[in-house]
Amino acid sequence: LAEGGEGGGEVGGGAGGEPVAPGRKARKNNNAKRIEYVFDRKREWPLAEALNHVRAASSCKFDETLEVVFKLNIDPRKADENLRGSLSLPHGSPKPSRIAVFTRDRDSAAAALSAGAAHVGSEDLAEAIASNTLVPRDDASSSTDRRATRGGQIPNLRPRRWNALTRVIASPDVMGVVGKVGRILGPRGLMPNAKTGTVTRDVVAAVEEAMKGVVAYRTDPYGNVHMPVGKMSWVDERLVGNLVAELLGIMEAKPAAVKKKYLKGVVISSSMGPAVKLDFNAMLKELQNKAK
């Protein structure tokens, strides 16, 4: 607070820079609280301490997601160095699973629904995605858009129902049908791919594995891999278990063409919090010692 003029009043700034009346405290928003939390951002922290820093800097009212970024020493422009795949997390995925399955086999379709798939079909499923009429099974009664106006007909403002999907699985014989909606699924990372295990003849097993908690990953243009770890409300044991599984999965997925140093850095953060560097070399050494 700065001293005023002749009156000696105090003039300060609130959360948005507004003047504060004398005798009143300036309110601090969540961003100010995060900035106030000070720690060495250049240091690589042990996992337990890094999690403590992430929790201490988190001040949002909603349940944030713990995220991890692996900085890899690869060139995504080269086909033999590009990284893409999926990992099964031991403690589940932070996102609820909503899976769509493309198959023509009736027995597989029934088994996939029993295993937890939200939508099953072939040509009809592709048409529903293309026409934006994909209604969740557990929400079929609320298919009307809440934003409907008096006329009730605003097709351009209907929610994109295929955005609710987290994974799309297909058998090889219907990939021609899936290709018709590739422009919708592809940019959102939902297009089935053999590398991620979403193009398979055993769609039931793929659904069962996905329901346990599977995250898909791919390198961004800068050679980084982003993955969710878990919710901040989870206990540390669950977060550590998922993070270790993701670290080992990335190390095992090292492209054969990469002869130089592969992993350059690991950073964790909450959805709205600051990034905290991890001492991943110490983590790898500890895992190697346990394996022995």
Side-chain angles (χ1 to χ4, degrees):
L1 296 178
E3 293 185 0
E6 297 179 357
E10 295 181 342
V11 179
E18 304 89 351
V20 179
R24 294 185 60 184
K25 291 184 178 180
R27 290 188 305 170
K28 296 178 181 178
N29 57 20
N30 289 336
N31 190 43
K33 294 177 183 177
R34 285 192 290 271
I35 293 174
E36 277 189 354
Y37 183 74
V38 179
F39 65 96
D40 189 353
R41 301 196 181 193
K42 295 183 179 180
R43 177 186 168 186
E44 293 184 347
W45 295 89
L47 181 54
E49 295 183 42
L51 278 176
N52 289 337
H53 287 313
V54 172
R55 291 191 185 278
S58 175
S59 57
C60 291
K61 295 181 180 179
F62 64 92
D63 191 7
E64 296 181 80
T65 299
L66 180 67
E67 302 169 354
V68 61
V69 179
F70 297 96
K71 185 174 180 59
L72 306 179
N73 193 16
I74 61 176
D75 187 356
R77 295 173 296 178
K78 298 180 181 179
D80 55 352
E81 292 189 21
N82 201 359
L83 208 62
R84 183 175 183 180
S86 60
L87 289 172
S88 179
L89 301 181
H91 299 290
S93 171
K95 279 188 175 182
S97 298
R98 189 177 295 277
I99 306 167
V101 177
F102 283 88
T103 181
R104 289 194 179 98
D105 185 73
R106 293 184 178 181
D107 294 336
S108 297
L113 286 173
S114 300
H119 308 280
V120 175
S122 53
E123 285 81 1
D124 56 336
L125 181 55
E127 291 176 3
I129 292 176
S131 60
N132 193 24
T133 57
L134 189 66
V135 181
R137 287 193 303 159
D138 55 355
D139 196 24
S141 60
S142 60
S143 59
T144 304
D145 191 351
R146 293 181 181 177
R147 296 173 292 178
T149 56
R150 297 175 184 176
Q153 295 180 354
I154 47 170
N156 292 334
L157 293 180
R158 286 184 304 174
R160 296 174 179 177
R161 306 191 188 286
W162 32 260
N163 268 358
L165 297 176
T166 58
R167 200 167 181 81
V168 178
I169 299 171
S171 56
D173 58 312
V174 293
M175 282 304 295
V177 177
V178 182
K180 296 178 181 179
V181 290
R183 291 186 178 181
I184 296 176
L185 301 179
R188 290 154 186 85
L190 295 174
M191 190 67 180
N193 189 291
K195 291 184 178 180
T196 59
T198 50
V199 177
T200 174
R201 298 185 184 280
D202 193 354
V203 295
V204 179
V207 171
E208 292 174 347
E209 183 180 1
M211 291 299 294
K212 294 177 182 178
V214 174
V215 292
Y217 64 87
R218 64 187 304 175
T219 50
D220 64 13
Y222 305 99
N224 302 318
V225 174
H226 303 251
M227 279 193 275
V229 180
K231 289 295 184 180
M232 293 298 296
S233 58
W234 292 5
V235 296
D236 286 356
E237 288 75 14
R238 294 184 66 184
L239 297 176
V240 170
N242 281 356
L243 185 56
V244 168
E246 291 173 343
L247 175 62
L248 294 177
I250 290 296
M251 296 302 295
E252 291 175 0
K254 178 181 178 181
V258 178
K259 305 299 181 183
K260 50 195 174 183
K261 183 179 179 180
Y262 172 54
L263 185 59
K264 297 173 64 176
V266 181
V267 174
I268 61 173
S269 67
S270 60
S271 301
M272 305 293 290
V276 182
K277 294 182 179 180
L278 272 184
D279 188 359
F280 64 93
N281 288 314
M283 289 178 60
L284 291 173
K285 287 181 181 178
E286 184 177 354
L287 293 172
Q288 290 174 358
N289 293 334
K290 288 183 179 180
K292 293 178 182 180

